[in-house]
Amino acid sequence: MQQNNTMKDDFINYTEKEPPNPSKFFESASNGYDNPAFQHDEKPEKNYELQKNKKKKKNEESKEKMVGILKLFVYADWLDIILMIIGLIAAVANGTGLPLTIIVIGEMTNRFVMIGQAGNMSSVNLSAVMNSSSTCPAMPGLDIEAEMTRFAYYYAGIGFAVVILSTIQVWTFLTSAARQTARIQQKFFFAILHQEMAWFDTSQIGTLNTRLTDDINTIHEGIGDKFCISVQFFATFLTGIVIGFIYGWKMTLVMLSVSPLLTATAAIGSIFLSSFTTKELTAYARAGAVAEEILTSIRTVIAFNGQMKASAKYDVNLENARKAGVKKSITTYTSFGFTEFIFFGAFALAFWYGTKLTVEEKENYDIGRVLIVLLSVVRSTFFLGQGSLHLESVANARGAAYEVYKVISKHRLLDSSSKEGYRPDKLKGEIEFKNIHFSYPSRPDVKILKGLNLKVQSGKTIALVGSSGCGKSTAIQLLQRFYDPVQGEITLDGQDIRTLNIKWLRERIGLVSQEPILFATTIAENIRCGREDITDSEIEKAAKEANAFDFISRLPDKFNTMVGERGAQLSGGQKQRIAIARALARNPRILLLDEATSALDTQSESVVQAALDKARAGRTTIVIAHRLSTVRTADIIAGFHNGVVVEQGTHSQLMTQKGVYYSLVMQQDHGGNTQNEISENDEKTEDEDYGEEELEDLRMENLTDLGGFEEPGIIEMGSIPKRSRRHKSRKTSSKKKSSEKKKTKEKEEENLPAVPYSRILALNKPEWLHIFFGVIAAAFSGGVHPAFAVIYGKIVGAFEETDPEKRSKNTTLLSLMFLVLAVISLVTHIIQGFMFGKSGEVLTKRLRSLSFKALLQQEIGWYDDAKNAIGVLLTRLATDASQIKGISVEAVENIRTVASLTSEDAFYEKYNASLNGPYRDSLTKAPLYGLTYGTVQCAIYFLEAAIFRFGAWLIANCYTNFENVFIAFFSVLYGIINVGLSTSLAPDFSKAKVSAQQIFQLLDRKPLIDSYSEEGTKLSQFDGNIEFRDIHFVYPTRPEAQVLQGLNVKVNKGQTLALVGSSGCGKSTSIQLLERFYDPMAGQVFADGFDTKSLHLRWLRSKLGIVSQEPILFDCSIAENIQYGENGRVVSQEEVEEAAKAANIHTFIENLPEKYNTQVGDKGAQLSGGQKQRIAIARTLVRKPAVLLLDEATSALDTESEKIVQKALDDARKGRTCIIIAHRLTTVQNADVIAVIHNGKVVEQGTHSQLLAKEGHYYALSWAKHLRRHAQLDVKGLEKGFALVN
């Protein structure tokens, strides 16, 4: 997460991080795939110096990228603090349990040794007694069973205390952590929602969403039970040291010489672990960002055969994560190996020196004291090392918290949550821009507005016209305070808007933008975003005013219909009308219409424009439009050029002046033919001649009768998420359908395939050598502890020898054997770290990479399924919080829409509601986890009590000696510890099993349309003859709605076919069938006489070039976006510039400081709609396709650009087959064949003049276009035209 603004963090000292050089991310990819599109930031003359400087700065920062340990808990409230204090007290008390049992072990060992020595002195032949039937002689003055019973009670007492204390400490900390994490998530999401737009311009959206899940999970781990367990272990260490000094200060001092080594090992390991973890998290965050960008633009990726490039881009970040993961594994194992090396070495030293002290200072040292000091110091120090492993989670949390807390605490320059600012009681709506200068913060060198002066009177409509990128949309964004001007001021009723409350200001503004963003909920909920307290009847009224009511009423679930992600289940026109309804729902005082009717078909446009004209009455309205017919009726028209207003006046005044506006009108006036969009003499609005009844008649006779769903445009991936809770009172039938779908979904989720462990191992087959050596090393490492138990028992048994010289000789030899174990443990752990680290990380990378490739392989219909929504798919690649992530993805990606609707609070509440389930689960499970931990902790004490009591009985009855009891005890003890460690992995194992099942289910799925398939014919020559023959089609997710019902249409080589018809009639669907995003249910699509199903799929798509209605650009440079048009070869810079010139974008790019290396931002956010569209056109032209598919390809362009780009497209069409979809009839009139589609089939076709002569459907479409320009048109004549259609 990067930003340009410098800021002061309240909690953290850090050096502000520069945005990383993206070229680094792609270096390894470009090595294997020599396409310049991979070189993200190509500045050859600066690259080396830039990377050098950034590396230097990165090294300086790396030390400071963590929050302080106390600052980690900065979001705890008083209850959390109380819980943590209770937990810490319990942890400290719990930590004393182990040192106390060591005292018991020491005293108990003394008793056993005394019995052994007594047995030696009485010369009792144990083996003779065991082999005979005689009774075991009693030891005078020593009742071993009574002694051991007493010690067993001590053990049991400590065990009961431990189980209670362990439960309390884990319960309290997990509860506190759950509360704090929920609070941090809320604050982080809240902070993101309320950041200024400039911050989003320089932050990767995908990275933000990854941090919202992965990083906060990491924080949760670090402030939960692992924190209190590390405190418990630290208490064990301190108590052990104190006991050591009490029982033998000399030996304790010697043993403490080892402690710094253990501490240093733990500390150094922790530092390296933290560093590698941060690198790993960053790499995965970047991989997540790549995956999110690709999956949200899946149709564009597939259309341009970009799957291989997407996979390579994803793999680059996975490779970085793999490298960091391997280093992390080696560090972990090596650190543990060194710890055991020092631990065993300490035992060798202790027994050698302890034996010496028992001879030299008999009155102060015996075997019991030696053991007490040894175990207290060494095991306590060992637990300090173990605590440091738990502190690894704390260190990870501190690293993850750095970026998260930085965002939370960041001072927001434009804070929509701020309560500050004036809130006038009354608003007239008089707006004035005074000497406004502005540059986008991400491109400070490019001046957009250069002294804008403009006044809008209250209740009047002003239209802003001018070429694409001249500053029109920027002015609207400044009015909404998405940005503040660099110089000058904007006033509202004479008040500088910077003094007004931001939320209050935005609530008074209704916006309908060029590319409408709908949220993945119901139609009703989308309209409700305009005003939270709106009633159902008001929603219906708003829908009627926006001409959306009729098509909504025909849907099976009506207003409860889910629109899919970003409205993908609806056509462009339907989305636009719902967006208009949403704006009208809030009854705004100021109305901003940024190409509000650009996506509508001819009939809908005329009616919706009439509705907007009515809505404008009494409101201050700012209209931006490229269609001059839309702005003609404005009170004032302002002509923009180079960031200033160069002229303003009414339509007739500006036509007289013959300036910028006149020039634009003349360019749009194609010779005054029947398709002319604007007439000088016609200045009356439709409302002057038509009353409400006529308008209602026009609505009722609108050509949008689908009888069901309308088809989606070629836009991003769609899905139907779960229904909103707001409409529980809707029809029972809808409820039944919803619950049936939910049951089916749950059943499908449960129906995961069984995956044998051998199949998972098979994925690791290339690393079998690593696994082989790793297993051998693990086997040797596993044998170390049983060997330790034998040596330990033998060395304690050696003290029953009364001859000091013999005893010293035996203990010295056995001490050296401890050193051998130390070396074996160190070597085997290092080998395991490298071998398992390499094999494990490679497997993780391989699975993620294969999963991502499998996702890209699926057909588009698969993405339409609710189970395969973006949030779910991204989480399958990373974590398990799909629903939460889905909400966050939607809100953050569409932040401009969220901000303009002032829906931050609504999304914040929705997000909080989604957190409730996991939060309650955490609170419920906390005591259970505590009890489990306590049971595991106390088990060892009860085990010791049982074994030593039973051992005493065996000794008393001469069945064994105490040496064997110790060997048996430590063997069982370490066996149980290792089993315990294995069982602690059981939850992870079961999760891994489910994940493996999901991954293999994805990998095994055979796509209905396989993008990776090498099957099919590649024609040596492709002319471009296309035919749709008797096509019937329904979308897989809504089989009840027939979209195409017998479509028959043909276009020959070099011809242009124009598809026209009302919004949702099936035009865009036909293009998707040609691209083979879907296959028809019946009928065939032919290319040069071959069924497209029989052709090689990627070859087919490589011959098609598409420019869609809402262009999707990727977050990289302009050059890379254009190069994306051809992914099968290297695209030269000359070709890029040639395509840019053809699309009329070259001059604009050359004027940018970074020229073709300019980053376009997330989904092209740094560019205007027209600029994005022209880059999309250049991207298509660079691949030189045989068939051009233009779906509203010039809809976003201004008049001047449209004329030039249209000429470029006309030139590009020469010798190529072209299929055009357009609502502007001017765009299609020169087509060789015009096909009118109605209700999913062609109802008439011919040339423009032929179809006009027929006076049928096309005639009606054409005349509706003139409704606004010909006030004298006879209403009955128009109705007659519509009657012909119906």
Side-chain angles (χ1 to χ4, degrees):
M1 217 177 296
Q2 296 89 27
Q3 62 193 67
N4 287 344
N5 302 335
T6 321
M7 73 174 198
K8 185 177 179 181
D9 194 296
D10 293 334
F11 320 122
I12 314 150
N13 293 322
Y14 62 91
T15 309
E16 191 62 55
K17 184 179 175 185
E18 284 187 14
N21 185 352
S23 64
K24 291 181 189 175
F25 307 163
F26 294 88
E27 281 171 7
S28 56
S30 58
N31 291 338
Y33 191 95
D34 191 22
N35 189 329
F38 278 103
Q39 292 145 22
H40 216 235
D41 187 12
E42 292 187 35
K43 293 180 236 173
E45 71 282 0
K46 296 180 184 176
N47 250 3
Y48 174 74
E49 202 60 40
L50 243 162
Q51 289 185 9
K52 194 173 156 188
N53 291 341
K54 287 184 180 177
K55 274 184 183 173
K56 187 179 174 185
K57 182 146 189 176
K58 205 170 183 181
N59 291 337
E60 288 171 3
E61 292 172 353
S62 59
K63 296 177 184 175
E64 302 176 354
K65 290 175 65 178
M66 294 174 79
V67 301
I69 192 83
L70 292 177
K71 303 306 178 187
L72 195 57
F73 300 95
V74 76
Y75 296 109
D77 63 11
W78 64 269
L79 180 56
D80 295 325
I81 293 169
I82 290 172
L83 286 171
M84 287 190 291
I85 289 171
I86 293 169
L88 288 173
I89 292 169
V92 170
N94 192 10
T96 62
L98 180 68
L100 291 176
T101 59
I102 289 171
I103 296 173
V104 176
I105 286 175
E107 296 296 335
M108 191 175 64
T109 304
N110 274 340
R111 298 295 185 277
F112 278 128
V113 170
M114 284 169 67
I115 290 168
Q117 288 174 343
N120 284 344
M121 285 189 292
S122 63
S123 304
V124 173
N125 189 328
L126 182 63
S127 59
V129 172
M130 290 172 67
N131 293 329
S132 71
S133 58
S134 59
T135 56
C136 187
M139 302 292 175
L142 280 173
D143 187 351
I144 187 65
E145 290 192 74
E147 289 284 321
M148 289 306 124
T149 301
R150 179 166 62 88
F151 289 129
Y153 286 144
Y154 292 154
Y155 275 122
I158 295 170
F160 280 118
V162 162
V163 73
I164 292 166
L165 293 169
S166 294
T167 304
I168 290 170
Q169 75 177 62
V170 172
W171 185 355
T172 53
F173 261 86
L174 282 179
T175 303
S176 169
R179 288 167 51 82
Q180 289 177 73
T181 304
R183 203 172 294 121
I184 291 165
Q185 277 183 302
Q186 290 168 359
K187 286 180 179 291
F188 186 53
F189 189 60
F190 183 87
I192 290 174
L193 284 179
H194 294 86
Q195 294 295 339
E196 64 272 13
M197 291 302 150
W199 184 80
F200 285 98
D201 292 342
T202 54
S203 300
Q204 276 192 302
I205 300 297
T207 306
L208 292 177
N209 286 320
T210 303
R211 294 204 182 285
L212 199 52
T213 50
D214 296 0
D215 284 13
I216 288 179
N217 286 342
T218 304
I219 293 171
H220 179 270
E221 281 191 20
I223 62 176
D225 56 329
K226 287 187 171 63
F227 187 88
C228 68
I229 290 171
S230 63
V231 170
Q232 173 196 333
F233 289 168
F234 186 66
T236 301
F237 167 72
L238 288 178
T239 310
I241 298 300
V242 170
I243 289 172
F245 274 109
I246 291 171
Y247 279 84
W249 64 269
K250 266 189 185 178
M251 189 172 167
T252 301
L253 286 174
V254 171
M255 297 311 300
L256 278 177
S257 64
V258 176
S259 299
L261 291 174
L262 277 173
T263 310
T265 301
I268 293 167
S270 181
I271 290 166
F272 279 105
L273 279 171
S274 175
S275 170
F276 294 137
T277 302
T278 303
K279 287 177 183 176
E280 190 180 34
L281 282 172
T282 304
Y284 279 131
R286 286 171 184 160
V290 170
E292 185 170 319
E293 181 180 45
I294 297 300
L295 292 176
T296 52
S297 313
I298 191 65
R299 278 178 169 83
T300 303
V301 173
I302 289 175
F304 287 100
N305 285 334
Q307 296 98 321
M308 298 304 289
K309 182 179 285 186
S311 296
K313 192 175 178 183
Y314 185 67
D315 286 350
V316 169
N317 292 297
L318 291 186
E319 176 60 20
N320 293 336
R322 184 199 66 78
K323 288 175 182 174
V326 171
K327 290 173 183 174
K328 182 179 169 184
S329 173
I330 293 170
T331 303
T332 303
Y333 275 91
T334 303
S335 177
F336 194 73
F338 266 112
T339 302
E340 289 218 330
F341 177 82
I342 296 164
F343 178 71
F344 291 135
F347 266 77
L349 174 64
F351 279 116
W352 171 79
Y353 185 61
T355 305
K356 189 169 178 286
L357 288 174
T358 57
V359 174
E360 294 174 358
E361 298 183 30
K362 288 182 182 178
E363 65 284 357
N364 294 328
Y365 288 94
D366 53 29
I367 181 58
R369 286 192 168 233
V370 168
L371 280 182
I372 289 171
V373 173
L374 166 63
L375 295 177
S376 293
V377 177
V378 175
R379 287 186 71 177
S380 298
T381 310
F382 174 73
F383 270 93
L384 181 66
Q386 289 294 297
S388 71
L389 292 178
H390 287 281
L391 281 174
E392 180 199 337
S393 297
V394 180
N396 291 345
R398 290 170 62 199
Y402 173 80
E403 292 290 357
V404 172
Y405 290 7
K406 188 166 79 171
V407 172
I408 294 174
S409 61
K410 177 186 177 293
H411 172 66
R412 298 188 282 273
L413 300 175
L414 295 168
D415 187 357
S416 58
S417 68
S418 172
K419 302 295 179 188
E420 295 177 4
Y422 180 53
R423 298 168 183 252
D425 296 328
K426 194 175 180 184
L427 178 64
K428 292 180 187 175
E430 191 168 292
I431 301 164
E432 187 172 1
F433 294 82
K434 298 179 180 177
N435 192 33
I436 299 296
H437 291 258
F438 178 72
S439 301
Y440 284 100
S442 57
R443 307 198 297 260
D445 299 336
V446 182
K447 290 190 175 179
I448 306 295
L449 299 178
K450 305 169 183 176
L452 174 67
N453 286 288
L454 184 65
K455 191 169 184 178
V456 189
Q457 293 181 349
S458 174
K460 300 290 185 182
T461 295
I462 187 165
L464 311 182
V465 298
S467 59
S468 183
C470 66
K472 307 184 297 294
S473 295
T474 300
I476 277 184
Q477 293 192 67
L478 292 176
L479 179 59
Q480 293 177 91
R481 284 204 74 199
F482 285 173
Y483 305 90
D484 275 341
V486 175
Q487 185 183 331
E489 66 174 5
I490 303 170
T491 62
L492 182 61
D493 291 355
Q495 189 92 18
D496 189 330
I497 61 170
R498 286 174 291 199
T499 66
L500 300 174
N501 179 269
I502 293 180
K503 187 175 181 182
W504 178 89
L505 172 68
R506 289 177 183 167
E507 281 175 343
R508 268 73 193 158
I509 298 173
L511 172 71
V512 184
S513 59
Q514 187 172 331
E515 296 176 13
I517 298 294
L518 299 185
F519 302 108
T521 181
T522 62
I523 291 174
E525 286 297 285
N526 270 288
I527 297 174
R528 197 184 301 277
C529 286
R531 194 174 93 239
E532 276 297 303
D533 59 350
I534 193 172
T535 63
D536 287 351
S537 59
E538 287 175 313
I539 287 175
E540 291 182 5
K541 182 186 174 188
K544 286 175 182 174
E545 288 177 355
N547 190 32
F549 184 78
D550 288 348
F551 93 78
I552 294 171
S553 299
R554 295 188 189 101
L555 302 176
D557 292 330
K558 298 184 169 54
F559 281 89
N560 280 337
T561 301
M562 304 300 288
V563 303
E565 292 185 23
R566 298 172 70 87
Q569 299 297 321
L570 304 175
S571 70
Q574 292 166 345
K575 286 200 293 182
Q576 192 70 287
R577 281 177 277 170
I578 290 171
I580 292 168
R582 180 172 65 190
L584 296 177
R586 74 192 314 173
N587 192 20
R589 189 72 193 86
I590 299 167
L591 198 58
L592 307 177
L593 307 175
D594 188 357
E595 289 286 1
T597 61
S598 65
L600 302 182
D601 58 83
T602 311
Q603 290 79 22
S604 300
E605 183 200 356
S606 58
V607 181
V608 172
Q609 192 61 54
L612 288 174
D613 288 345
K614 284 200 296 182
R616 276 163 33 187
R619 290 187 174 99
T620 305
T621 307
I622 299 179
V623 178
I624 293 177
H626 292 134
R627 301 193 200 182
L628 300 181
S629 56
T630 310
V631 304
R632 182 175 48 84
T633 57
D635 299 304
I636 297 176
I637 298 168
F640 273 61
H641 183 65
N642 281 344
V644 292
V645 174
V646 291
E647 62 183 17
Q648 51 183 306
T650 63
H651 167 73
S652 54
Q653 288 170 347
L654 294 182
M655 291 301 290
T656 307
Q657 287 181 23
K658 296 192 175 181
V660 171
Y661 181 72
Y662 176 82
S663 173
L664 291 169
V665 172
M666 288 301 101
Q667 286 169 6
Q668 203 168 87
D669 185 352
H670 293 184
N673 57 26
T674 56
Q675 294 304 303
N676 187 6
E677 290 217 348
I678 195 160
S679 166
E680 275 186 68
N681 302 322
D682 177 22
E683 293 180 31
K684 294 182 182 178
T685 65
E686 181 180 356
D687 291 348
E688 289 172 350
D689 286 277
Y690 297 104
E692 285 187 24
E693 288 180 14
E694 284 85 357
L695 289 172
E696 187 59 35
D697 286 343
L698 188 57
R699 283 194 191 94
M700 294 304 291
E701 304 212 18
N702 190 7
L703 300 181
T704 56
D705 183 16
L706 264 181
F709 275 88
E710 301 183 54
E711 42 91 23
I714 299 181
I715 47 177
E716 295 100 335
M717 160 174 96
S719 68
I720 307 178
K722 290 181 183 176
R723 301 193 176 281
S724 170
R725 292 180 183 177
R726 286 179 182 266
H727 298 283
K728 288 183 181 176
S729 59
R730 298 289 182 182
K731 291 184 180 179
T732 318
S733 61
S734 297
K735 276 188 180 178
K736 282 181 183 175
K737 282 181 189 174
S738 177
S739 63
E740 281 170 16
K741 284 178 187 173
K742 193 175 177 183
K743 281 178 187 173
T744 309
K745 180 183 174 184
E746 284 170 3
K747 196 172 181 182
E748 284 173 3
E749 284 176 352
E750 287 166 11
N751 212 4
L752 290 169
V755 179
Y757 191 63
S758 58
R759 190 174 175 197
I760 300 172
L761 284 178
L763 279 171
N764 242 158
K765 194 175 179 181
E767 292 75 44
W768 73 267
L769 208 57
H770 291 87
I771 295 171
F772 176 74
F773 284 115
V775 168
I776 289 175
F780 274 100
S781 180
V784 165
H785 285 119
F788 169 80
V790 173
I791 298 169
Y792 187 94
K794 291 286 184 187
I795 213 166
V796 172
F799 277 87
E800 71 179 16
E801 176 60 58
T802 50
D803 182 354
E805 194 174 326
K806 281 185 181 179
R807 188 167 64 213
S808 295
K809 188 179 178 182
N810 289 340
T811 52
T812 302
L813 178 64
L814 291 166
S815 296
L816 288 172
M817 292 180 74
F818 275 128
L819 285 177
V820 173
L821 289 183
V823 173
I824 292 171
S825 182
L826 175 61
V827 173
T828 54
H829 274 94
I830 292 172
I831 293 171
Q832 285 179 83
F834 178 76
M835 298 301 171
F836 289 138
K838 181 79 186 291
S839 61
E841 291 298 329
V842 168
L843 178 63
T844 302
K845 180 194 170 185
R846 188 172 291 129
L847 283 173
R848 282 190 181 230
S849 181
L850 287 172
S851 298
F852 189 58
K853 283 174 184 169
L855 289 177
L856 298 180
Q857 188 178 5
Q858 303 306 316
E859 73 276 7
I860 294 295
W862 184 79
Y863 287 95
D864 293 341
D865 194 316
K867 299 194 300 298
N868 306 318
I870 299 171
V872 178
L873 295 179
L874 291 170
T875 357
R876 277 188 204 164
L877 291 170
T879 63
D880 246 351
S882 56
Q883 187 189 356
I884 297 168
K885 185 156 186 173
I887 293 166
S888 66
V889 165
E890 185 175 41
V892 177
E893 281 200 332
N894 305 317
I895 189 65
R896 276 178 166 76
T897 304
V898 172
S900 67
L901 292 169
T902 59
S903 293
E904 296 98 334
D905 292 343
F907 270 94
Y908 179 61
E909 286 170 18
K910 193 176 177 184
Y911 181 73
N912 288 351
S914 73
L915 293 176
N916 278 338
Y919 172 65
R920 292 185 188 283
D921 283 349
S922 298
L923 295 185
T924 307
K925 290 175 182 175
L928 182 63
Y929 287 146
L931 185 61
T932 306
Y933 178 71
T935 306
V936 170
Q937 287 283 298
C938 75
I940 186 68
Y941 302 115
F942 292 114
L943 177 72
E944 287 181 3
I947 285 180
F948 283 118
R949 176 62 189 84
F950 181 60
W953 179 82
L954 290 174
I955 292 169
N957 290 279
C958 294
Y959 288 120
T960 189
N961 59 24
F962 79 91
E963 180 184 302
N964 291 336
V965 170
F966 271 91
I967 290 172
F969 167 68
F970 281 107
S971 297
V972 172
L973 172 65
Y974 282 110
I976 286 174
I977 288 172
N978 286 319
V979 169
L981 287 172
S982 302
T983 20
S984 70
L985 298 173
D988 291 338
F989 181 79
S990 68
K991 283 180 189 173
K993 188 180 175 185
V994 173
S995 297
Q997 289 173 316
Q998 288 177 335
I999 288 170
F1000 282 112
Q1001 185 182 48
L1002 174 64
L1003 297 181
D1004 292 343
R1005 185 182 185 273
K1006 291 182 179 176
L1008 300 176
I1009 303 168
D1010 188 354
S1011 297
Y1012 294 166
S1013 173
E1014 292 300 328
E1015 294 177 5
T1017 309
K1018 294 182 182 180
L1019 304 180
S1020 55
Q1021 183 181 344
F1022 181 58
D1023 294 330
N1025 299 300
I1026 305 295
E1027 183 183 357
F1028 296 86
R1029 189 181 296 171
D1030 196 27
I1031 301 292
H1032 291 258
F1033 178 74
V1034 296
Y1035 282 97
T1037 52
R1038 40 179 202 263
E1040 73 282 0
Q1042 285 280 336
V1043 179
L1044 296 179
Q1045 305 177 51
L1047 179 73
N1048 285 287
V1049 68
K1050 186 176 181 181
V1051 57
N1052 294 322
K1053 173 188 176 181
Q1055 283 191 326
T1056 295
L1057 166 68
L1059 303 180
V1060 298
S1062 56
S1063 182
C1065 67
K1067 304 184 299 293
S1068 293
T1069 298
S1070 60
I1071 279 185
Q1072 296 192 64
L1073 292 176
L1074 178 58
E1075 286 270 9
R1076 285 203 68 202
F1077 288 171
Y1078 305 90
D1079 278 339
M1081 306 295 137
Q1084 293 170 292
V1085 182
F1086 291 97
D1088 277 7
F1090 289 83
D1091 189 326
T1092 52
K1093 291 181 187 177
S1094 69
L1095 297 173
H1096 187 278
L1097 185 54
R1098 290 202 305 280
W1099 175 87
L1100 171 66
R1101 286 175 181 161
S1102 72
K1103 301 300 177 188
L1104 308 175
I1106 187 164
V1107 183
S1108 55
Q1109 187 172 336
E1110 296 177 15
I1112 298 294
L1113 298 186
F1114 298 102
D1115 190 2
C1116 51
S1117 71
I1118 291 173
E1120 287 163 353
N1121 270 290
I1122 296 174
Q1123 286 167 338
Y1124 199 85
E1126 179 52 79
N1127 288 305
R1129 61 181 177 85
V1130 176
V1131 179
S1132 67
Q1133 184 64 24
E1134 289 73 23
E1135 288 179 278
V1136 169
E1137 291 181 15
E1138 185 185 335
K1141 285 173 185 172
N1144 189 35
I1145 190 73
H1146 176 74
T1147 307
F1148 162 75
I1149 297 170
E1150 284 295 314
N1151 288 328
L1152 297 172
E1154 301 292 334
K1155 296 184 169 54
Y1156 281 88
N1157 287 326
T1158 302
Q1159 300 295 307
V1160 304
D1162 182 56
K1163 292 186 174 58
Q1166 301 295 310
L1167 304 172
S1168 72
Q1171 291 159 359
K1172 284 199 289 183
Q1173 191 69 291
R1174 281 180 282 167
I1175 289 172
I1177 291 169
R1179 177 174 65 190
T1180 299
L1181 294 179
V1182 86
R1183 79 187 312 183
K1184 298 170 184 172
V1187 180
L1188 263 180
L1189 307 174
L1190 307 176
D1191 187 0
E1192 291 286 2
T1194 59
S1195 64
L1197 301 181
D1198 58 86
T1199 310
E1200 184 179 356
S1201 298
E1202 183 196 2
K1203 188 174 181 181
I1204 298 167
V1205 172
Q1206 192 62 55
K1207 184 179 182 304
L1209 289 174
D1210 290 342
D1211 291 341
R1213 275 163 36 187
K1214 289 173 184 174
R1216 288 190 176 100
T1217 306
C1218 187
I1219 299 177
I1220 297 175
I1221 293 175
H1223 290 136
R1224 302 195 201 182
L1225 299 181
T1226 50
T1227 309
V1228 304
Q1229 64 184 359
N1230 296 322
D1232 299 299
V1233 181
I1234 298 170
V1236 182
I1237 300 179
H1238 181 58
N1239 281 349
K1241 58 186 176 184
V1242 175
V1243 289
E1244 63 182 21
Q1245 58 181 306
T1247 63
H1248 171 69
S1249 54
Q1250 287 170 348
L1251 293 179
L1252 282 179
K1254 282 185 180 180
E1255 295 192 2
H1257 289 74
Y1258 185 75
Y1259 180 80
L1261 287 165
S1262 177
W1263 272 106
K1265 189 71 180 173
H1266 292 284
L1267 178 65
R1268 296 189 54 74
R1269 295 186 293 104
H1270 298 279
Q1272 71 276 18
L1273 178 67
D1274 182 16
V1275 177
K1276 290 180 182 177
L1278 180 65
E1279 287 176 351
K1280 183 182 175 184
F1282 283 126
L1284 286 169
V1285 176
N1286 292 321

